[in-house]
Amino acid sequence: MASNTSNSTTSLAELLYGADRHVQPTLLGSGLNGLINSAEPTPPWAYVTQRFTAFLQNLNLTEAQVADGTTKFKGVVSTLNAAYYGTNSDSDHAFFIGSWAKHTRIRPPRDVDLYFLLPVEVYNRFDKYSGNKQSALLQEVKGNLLAAYPLSNIKGDGPVVLAGFWSFNVEVVPAFALQEDRTYWVPKTQNGGSYMTTKPLHEVDVIELADSRNNGNVRRLIRMLKCWQEHCNVELRSFYLELLAVEFMDQWAYRDKSYFYYDWMCRDFFAWLITKAGSFVLAPGTFEILWIGEAWKTKAETASGRALKACDYEHNNKEGDAGDEWQKIFGADVPKWV
């Protein structure tokens, strides 16, 4: 499983602007003496790298949380394989989707999302039903899970069957694989029922490729934005934030940089996001137009103003003042002191 963060603790302002920041200070010597005798012995941005490294580490799921989510995935898949295929496999006919597939999950853990692929015989059986076939299908999947987990809160609401557990939920999407590569039908219960075409693995591809061409910055930005979404109750779906992060990063001037530039990355993203109010993103694979509205715009404007102020504090090494502003955006996961 891909790592969500890497160790990045180089300090003394990235060994005196090793990552640029536009102006290279003049070193009076070489090696450690040169750093000590530099024209700027206390360089600006002294706390940025440590702060954002710690922030992203704080968003990592613990080993116990990862193990818990994996165990729940396996238990649900084993139950459904027993019901529909007569085996106890905890991995066949299923795969992660959402943040667990994209490696964009954060702590505290949210839902574990998965697709479970049903046999074509199940489609044929329900196709003979009168009324809402898709609702009947979801109720059957719900019943099979309820039999195995009688004390859990199991709900069926197309296209998802929600298995509510004590620590976090598992959202199961029953699906039928189509002949076209990695294309699936999932049940939709609204308006009398229908099937909709989905391409969830194309979403994973978009994140993976964007992260690769942008120095690993896309996933890190997404994880920080999810923290903002949670802390400030931002009315913008995580899926939309992911696609917006990809779009932003592909045009950001410093996309090849890393942690030393993350104060500017946050500042520039929020300023850019404001310009996207009332626009749309395209769903990978299906190219469905997804309108993102503008209910979230005021909170983006507030975050933009605070990030601008925090960047000024970071430049002047006002560690606590910068930390205060970042915490107003992201909460306590981003440290005030580093």
Side-chain angles (χ1 to χ4, degrees):
M1 186 172 293
S3 173
N4 287 322
T5 62
S6 61
N7 291 327
S8 182
T9 56
T10 304
S11 190
L12 195 56
E14 294 292 286
L15 296 181
L16 291 180
Y17 304 33
D20 194 317
R21 287 279 192 173
H22 301 319
V23 180
Q24 294 287 346
T26 301
L27 299 184
L28 301 182
S30 59
L32 183 59
N33 288 333
L35 296 179
I36 294 173
N37 295 320
S38 168
E40 292 192 61
T42 307
W45 305 294
Y47 304 107
V48 173
T49 297
Q50 292 96 323
R51 191 188 311 278
F52 282 91
T53 299
F55 179 22
L56 284 156
Q57 288 173 343
N58 288 341
L59 295 181
N60 281 338
L61 268 61
T62 66
E63 290 184 5
Q65 289 169 335
V66 173
D68 187 20
T70 302
T71 297
K72 285 181 170 58
F73 172 93
K74 291 181 176 181
V76 166
V77 171
S78 178
T79 296
L80 294 178
N81 269 318
Y84 290 104
Y85 292 95
T87 76
N88 291 319
S89 172
D90 59 12
S91 60
D92 289 348
H93 312 112
F95 53 85
F96 283 115
I97 60 169
S99 63
W100 282 68
K102 301 170 188 173
H103 305 299
T104 58
R105 61 200 182 199
I106 65 169
R107 185 168 63 194
R110 304 182 182 184
D111 299 336
V112 174
D113 302 308
L114 65 94
Y115 264 41
F116 184 81
L117 306 184
L118 294 165
V120 66
E121 291 80 8
V122 174
Y123 171 84
N124 293 332
R125 173 161 55 86
F126 278 95
D127 196 45
K128 298 174 183 177
Y129 278 42
S130 60
N132 195 318
K133 304 174 177 62
Q134 291 74 21
S135 180
L137 169 59
L138 287 170
Q139 291 305 310
E140 180 179 281
V141 174
K142 171 186 171 182
N144 286 324
L145 289 174
L146 193 58
Y149 300 101
L151 300 181
S152 297
N153 183 21
I154 311 292
K155 300 178 181 179
D157 183 18
V160 171
V161 176
L162 176 68
F165 295 99
W166 177 76
S167 50
F168 48 90
N169 300 328
V170 176
E171 291 195 350
V172 183
V173 180
F176 297 103
L178 302 183
Q179 289 185 345
E180 183 181 348
D181 183 41
R182 302 190 307 165
T183 303
Y184 306 92
W185 267 359
V186 301
K188 184 178 179 181
T189 59
Q190 293 87 353
N191 301 318
S194 61
Y195 289 101
M196 58 182 177
T197 302
T198 64
K199 298 186 178 185
L201 297 179
H202 289 67
E203 299 171 18
V204 179
D205 291 345
V206 164
I207 300 299
E208 179 65 38
L209 292 171
D211 205 47
S212 296
R213 66 177 175 263
N214 289 298
N215 196 34
N217 290 320
V218 170
R219 284 191 174 103
R220 296 177 195 142
L221 176 59
I222 289 169
R223 296 173 70 237
M224 291 189 287
L225 293 177
K226 287 184 176 183
C227 192
W228 167 59
Q229 175 199 50
E230 180 75 19
H231 180 67
C232 295
N233 298 311
V234 180
E235 296 172 295
L236 191 56
R237 290 178 54 191
S238 297
F239 180 43
Y240 298 167
L241 280 174
E242 291 172 348
L243 297 177
L244 288 164
V246 170
E247 184 179 344
F248 165 78
M249 194 62 66
D250 278 340
Q251 56 83 57
W252 191 47
Y254 309 109
R255 60 186 179 273
D256 61 329
K257 308 300 183 186
S258 192
Y259 291 81
F260 188 42
Y261 271 68
Y262 279 12
D263 57 335
W264 285 7
M265 182 170 75
C266 294
R267 176 200 67 186
D268 294 349
F269 175 82
F270 289 125
W272 174 86
L273 178 62
I274 294 166
T275 70
K276 303 298 288 185
S279 66
F280 61 90
V281 291
L282 294 175
T286 64
F287 303 106
E288 178 186 0
I289 296 174
L290 305 170
W291 294 97
I292 63 175
E294 56 182 25
W296 46 268
K297 183 180 178 182
T298 299
K299 291 179 180 178
E301 290 171 338
T302 299
S304 179
R306 288 171 174 165
L308 188 64
K309 188 182 295 185
C311 285
D312 185 57
Y313 287 141
E314 292 286 17
H315 178 264
N316 293 300
N317 291 335
K318 295 183 178 181
E319 179 184 2
D321 291 334
D324 282 338
E325 294 303 321
W326 292 127
Q327 288 192 342
K328 291 174 185 176
I329 300 171
F330 298 114
D333 284 311
V334 58
K336 176 176 179 177
W337 306 101
V338 296

